[in-house]
Amino acid sequence: MWRRSASFILDERRSSNSPPMADTTRGGPFQNPDAISAYYQTRAAHHGVITSDWLAQAQAAVGGVSGEEQTVSPAAESGADKTFNVIEEFNGWRKQPDLAEAVAAIRALAAVIRASEATTMMELEIELKKASDTLKSWDKTSISLTAGCDLFIRYVTRTSALEYEDFNSAKSRLLERAEKFGEISCKARKIIAMLSQDFIFDGCTILVHGLSRVVLEILKTAAQNNKLFRVLCTEGRPDGTGVLLANELSKLDIPVKLLLDSAVAYSMDEVDMVFVGADGVVESGGVINMMGTYQIALVAHSMNKPVYVAAESYKFARLYPLDQKDMAPALRPIEFGIKIAAKVEVERSARDYTPPQYLTLLFTDLGVLSPSVVSDELIQLYL
Amino acid sequence: MESRRNPRAVVDPKVRQVGFFTSSQPDSTQQPDPIASESHPVSSISPSGNSLSPVMIPPPRHTSSDTFPIRAAAASAVSPSSFSYSSRRDFPDGSTTASPGRVSRGSFAKSSVPAASSLPGVGMDSMAAAKSSSVPASGLTTVSVVNMPAGLSEKATGMEVQSDQKKNSKPLKEKTTKAERRALQEAQRAAKAAAKVEGGKAPPVTSGSVASTNVKANKPAKPASQKNDGVAAAGGASEKKGGPSEKDRKKDAPHPRMQYDDESRVVKAKRRAVVKQTEAKNRVELFRHLPQYEHGTQLPDLETKFFQLDPMHPAVYKVGLQYLSGDISGGNARCIAMLQAFQEVVKDYSTPPEKTLNRDMTAKISSYVSFLIECRPLSISMGNAIRFLKNRIAKLPITLSESEAKTALQSDIERFINEKIITADNVIVKHAVTKIRDGDVLLTYGSPSAVEMVLLHAHELKKKFRVLVVDSRPKLEGQLLLRRLIKRGINCTYTHINAISYIMHEVTKVFLGASSVLSNGTVYSRVGTACVAMVANAFRVPVLVCCEAYKFHERVQLDSICSNELGDPNAISKVHGREDINYLDGLTNNANLQFLNLMYDATPSDYISMIITDYGMVPPTSVPVIVREYQKEHLLV
């Protein structure tokens, strides 16, 4: 079940419109006035932790777009007026197994170019921009989606093809670049898995946090290459990602041990390296990832263990957080299992920011980079 | 030939010896072994690293004898250091600046210069061979060992003897070479005449030509190498310069990073100076390579000359005076004032007959720039602007008429000011206000123009924050910023830099300005900035530097010493308005007390969290990337 994309689950449930079968007994009083991150909600759904709020949102999302942003629906509706609806295309792509959200968006945008009826370059660019805005508003808290769309637009329009007299040849050139970008993004995981094989040696112990499909790909490839290693997984509360990852790894016959999130420092002595994925890579070279990554990076740094981040290049975003609170908030409901008094506040942020000095290397489809290269890449692309 | 004894048996405590010195060095009777003396140039290059351009690596020491054909290259490669030989002449006068290392370097260079000048007689092909080879060799041992062709007369042998003597007793070279030098001069002139007669097939073989194949940094050294023969720098140089006059003109403007502890070049620069500055007497040893003049002496002198200076444009003169008096300070203000003065220059310019606009205007601009340097050393932003302007002048199409060219230049300057300074500041403000949140306590140091704009704009956007202005003597620039902020109703606190660790715990962000950001991420800014950044880093407060991209430079600086600016020492000794604590007043000329008034310092990149430029918010490690992309852009434009 984990093979399917998280957002696909949302679609299935939405389309079937059947109530989810999971234990909703744990639903406590959660006041969520604003900004429940759909991104993390879908991940929660994927991992089988269902809340009543999720259900309400899923039902509200039947209209075709994410339910929490009411303003989005009109936009999508107006988009539906055209013969081509980028959201539908997006959803179509997301149904593919194993496809990341951002890649689906990139593919959808490429399809926008293909189906565009514009006759001038300006018009095409405006169409592209509008489609990208629609996609981005589908989930405002997803960094990779925003970054992927922005990078795509930048990459595609940054070509001298725009100076061609003939619109059709320019358009075909744009399409070519769009397809290429889509290809690269799709293959990104394979490239990253290949690059990281050198870093996994026989007999090593790897600590993994969060369920990143890229990291899973890396470990799978290593197992296929008959490397001997073992994996320590953090539990990853409240999503339970660690449990799922452990189950998957055991299927691949990789020795895996499950840890409490608080047992990381306890086990860090026997760890050789830490692998994490990323929700987004920011301009300073730091990463934004699931809550707990910063903690693990700090412990690893103080014990001189390398921290490797596996991230595709479309996750490079033009953000620059100065501290933990400097990002757009992404909240999610947390279940504690026992009733909490009404006056007790809960820290519900779903992600944290790890500064670049705690990271050793970034494995991307552009190669194995040091954190300071991210800004170089962004400058070269955006200048 | 009398032997010159080294009068200094005891090392002067004021002289800071950096490098590897043996205690037996100063003894004149002893023969320093070539290795020791050769190693000195390497080590002594570092403390007074004025001789070599930053990119030149000191030539490796070869002792093989097969280096004859590449001796010329060696001489030419070493010629930049040869000018320091002249400094050695001060040595017998008891000047405290000559260090043993310098002496040996001078000797090292001296023997190689005659090598260069002896080569003319050798033949053209050896010259060619020398040019093609890029491996420099040490001159000391090879000169004596080398197998001179028969064509070379007793001059060579005499030179051999001389170089041997050089090895034996360094102090002798002063006297021995006078006759030699004249002979060498004659030989050089004859060779040049011969070369001209032959149609100049082979390049003229003065050391000037050799230097011309080298990196540009050697050009300022050329006069020095020619000067080596003259006893007095000024007299020798002027008569020796039979070389082409364009090279002369280029040497007119002293190298912007000229090192001022070299007497000969200082004297030479003074000869051309418009501003008559008297050097300060009591200077800190470590900073002798920086210019320091008596303050207060130039302004009245210049004012009286206002109507007499024909070659100087009045607008440039005015700007220079404003720099001298301190009316204009701050990187952006100085740069804009200078560029606007140059706009006036272009407007009033008319091409003299028989001259091209490009070359003549470039020469004029260079002379104006040297005047401005004399008033106050250039800031890096001004250097970049001048480079841009010269580039634009050089790129003017020949076909343009004079008026068209002038309008083009004026609009270029206008565009530079608008794009790179004014619009850039707007972009910086736009980025920076996104980082200011309600409830922030922002600290700033001094009076950076970019930061002031950021704070005012954030206040307009109704963000709730308060400002902490940190200030320092002697300039007390923070008070100006404070006034302007308070006038707009921003909640401010004011303190001096000695209280920085006391207040840092309540600060949430630090905003700093910069005079320049260097390629390794080092921020070069007003003195005291490094302290503020360091304390902020210790308290884990993010430090944001606001700097326009035109101020970036590809230079790398590791400390605040090798390149800086010295201000008026009297400003330190006097406390304005507090007569009761003016204890140091009147002690400025005391031999036991030196005042050091540094203007800039270098902040390492580790203390900087982010640099906000018109290219966005970047980490300090991305500055060389922007320099690379930016250079491409402004050269293409």
Side-chain angles (χ1 to χ4, degrees), chain A residues 283 320 326 375-376 380 383, chain B residues 435 609 615 622 625 628:
Chain A
E283 193 150 6
Y320 204 132
D326 208 1
S375 179
D376 293 3
Q380 282 178 354
L383 281 188
Chain B
K435 288 295 172 199
S609 313
Y615 289 99
S622 295
V625 179
R628 195 181 66 219

Side-chain angles (χ1 to χ4, degrees), chain B residues 433-621:
Chain B
V433 292
T434 60
K435 288 295 172 199
I436 300 182
R437 295 202 291 260
D438 284 345
D440 262 345
V441 178
L442 307 173
L443 185 143
T444 182
Y445 175 73
S447 171
S449 52
V451 174
E452 186 184 330
M453 283 194 254
V454 168
L455 297 175
L456 292 177
H457 189 66
H459 187 68
E460 277 168 31
L461 295 177
K462 305 276 186 292
K463 299 209 180 205
K464 310 245 177 316
F465 61 95
R466 64 184 178 94
V467 176
L468 238 152
V469 178
V470 177
D471 204 2
S472 75
R473 279 199 68 232
K475 287 200 132 193
L476 290 176
E477 293 171 318
Q479 292 181 349
L480 301 166
L481 176 65
L482 189 64
R483 269 184 211 281
R484 292 194 279 258
L485 292 179
I486 289 180
K487 232 193 290 186
R488 300 291 194 96
I490 300 180
N491 202 342
C492 294
T493 312
Y494 176 82
T495 178
H496 276 218
I497 193 169
N498 38 15
I500 189 95
S501 51
Y502 175 76
I503 40 137
M504 190 55 84
H505 70 274
E506 55 187 45
V507 175
T508 58
K509 291 191 181 73
V510 175
F511 276 91
L512 298 173
S515 170
S516 163
V517 183
L518 307 174
S519 259
N520 57 346
T522 306
V523 171
Y524 189 70
S525 177
R526 179 68 72 220
V527 66
T529 311
C531 289
V532 172
M534 193 161 59
V535 175
N537 187 55
F539 280 80
R540 294 184 61 90
V541 174
V543 174
L544 291 78
V545 172
C546 302
C547 178
E548 298 86 355
Y550 84 100
K551 289 181 179 167
F552 290 177
H553 202 272
E554 71 258 5
R555 200 169 96 201
V556 170
Q557 201 171 316
L558 299 177
D559 56 38
S560 314
I561 300 174
C562 56
S563 169
N564 209 319
E565 190 186 328
L566 293 177
D568 183 11
N570 287 323
I572 300 186
S573 57
K574 276 203 194 32
V575 180
H576 226 49
R578 288 287 306 272
E579 305 306 323
D580 51 331
I581 55 171
N582 267 342
Y583 304 117
L584 298 176
D585 204 7
L587 285 182
T588 339
N589 284 321
N590 192 324
N592 291 328
L593 180 61
Q594 286 111 34
F595 288 87
L596 183 63
N597 187 1
L598 284 177
M599 304 289 278
Y600 294 105
D601 69 12
T603 310
S605 60
D606 309 333
Y607 299 147
I608 312 285
S609 313
M610 166 200 306
I611 301 186
I612 309 179
T613 79
D614 39 329
Y615 289 99
M617 300 185 275
V618 295
T621 46

Side-chain angles (χ1 to χ4, degrees), chain A residues 7 14 121 176 179 193 198 256 273 283 341 353 365:
Chain A
S7 33
R14 194 197 316 149
M121 198 46 69
E176 211 178 291
E179 301 281 315
D198 285 332
V256 62
M273 62 185 86
E283 193 150 6
Y353 163 67
D365 45 298

Side-chain angles (χ1 to χ4, degrees), chain B residues 16-22 25 34-52 57-59 61 81 99-106 108:
Chain B
R16 224 173 141 255
Q17 294 193 19
V18 181
F20 310 106
F21 300 107
T22 61
Q25 241 290 356
I35 312 297
S37 59
E38 281 163 18
S39 71
H40 284 129
V42 180
S43 56
S44 56
I45 276 168
S46 38
S48 50
N50 44 2
S51 52
L52 297 180
I57 306 170
R61 312 282 156 229
S81 65
S99 61
R102 282 250 197 83
V103 170
S104 60
R105 179 162 49 139
F108 168 73

Side-chain angles (χ1 to χ4, degrees), chain B residues 223-257:
Chain B
S225 63
Q226 298 200 6
K227 248 188 305 183
N228 270 332
D229 310 294
V231 177
S238 50
E239 78 195 45
K240 193 61 176 75
K241 264 197 282 268
S245 59
E246 305 95 67
K247 294 210 176 78
D248 232 276
R249 211 178 321 136
K250 278 195 194 117
K251 285 176 280 178
D252 267 359
H255 198 234
R257 294 184 60 212

Side-chain angles (χ1 to χ4, degrees), chain A residues 44-291:
Chain A
H46 162 185
H47 304 310
V49 176
I50 308 300
T51 69
S52 47
D53 280 302
W54 178 92
L55 176 56
Q57 180 188 320
Q59 286 180 329
V62 170
V65 273
S66 140
E68 81 236 13
E69 311 281 349
Q70 302 307 331
T71 55
V72 176
S73 326
E77 295 312 321
S78 64
D81 290 341
K82 297 197 220 152
T83 53
F84 178 77
N85 187 351
V86 66
I87 294 289
E88 277 174 12
E89 182 75 20
F90 182 40
N91 292 341
W93 275 107
R94 276 191 301 122
K95 283 189 173 40
Q96 269 197 25
D98 248 359
L99 208 57
E101 225 170 40
V103 182
I106 289 168
R107 282 270 149 94
L109 287 175
V112 164
I113 300 182
R114 202 182 305 119
S116 157
E117 288 162 359
T119 47
T120 65
M121 198 46 69
M122 232 17 227
E123 215 181 312
L124 182 57
E125 278 186 49
I126 293 175
E127 242 183 68
L128 211 50
K129 184 93 182 30
K130 231 193 298 188
S132 141
D133 286 340
T134 322
L135 281 174
K136 281 199 270 192
S137 58
W138 180 83
D139 179 7
K140 285 214 166 70
T141 59
S142 169
I143 298 181
S144 60
L145 185 57
T146 315
C149 290
D150 281 339
L151 278 173
F152 176 85
I153 305 249
R154 242 357 255 206
Y155 180 81
V156 159
T157 53
R158 192 180 190 236
T159 163
S160 51
L162 293 179
E163 285 145 23
Y164 288 166
E165 311 261 329
D166 181 15
F167 174 71
N168 284 328
S169 64
K171 183 173 164 187
S172 59
R173 179 103 180 87
L174 278 189
L175 200 53
E176 211 178 291
R177 285 175 78 84
E179 301 281 315
K180 192 164 120 194
F181 198 71
E183 281 296 315
I184 294 177
S185 311
C186 270
K187 295 214 190 81
R189 280 199 205 137
K190 296 264 178 335
I191 299 176
I192 294 174
M194 206 177 59
L195 285 172
S196 45
Q197 291 313 300
D198 285 332
F199 289 81
I200 302 178
F201 50 89
D202 278 335
C204 68
T205 304
I206 304 180
L207 177 67
V208 181
H209 179 71
L211 179 53
S212 160
R213 283 165 291 193
V214 189
V215 176
L216 191 50
E217 184 77 29
I218 294 177
L219 297 176
K220 240 190 351 174
T221 321
Q224 280 162 6
N225 292 343
N226 293 326
K227 294 210 184 199
L228 298 172
F229 60 96
R230 66 185 186 111
V231 176
L232 302 181
C233 277
T234 55
E235 187 194 357
R237 281 204 43 134
D239 296 339
T241 55
V243 184
L244 292 163
L245 180 63
N247 290 340
E248 286 314 311
L249 289 176
S250 65
K251 278 190 214 146
L252 297 167
D253 282 331
I254 300 174
V256 62
K257 183 160 152 183
L258 206 50
L259 306 171
L260 287 178
D261 291 331
S262 26
V264 165
Y266 176 80
S267 325
M268 191 55 84
D269 277 335
E270 52 188 32
V271 164
D272 290 311
M273 62 185 86
V274 179
F275 264 95
V276 291
D279 288 343
V281 180
V282 295
E283 193 150 6
S284 58
V287 291
I288 298 181
N289 199 18
M290 176 171 148
M291 179 66 79

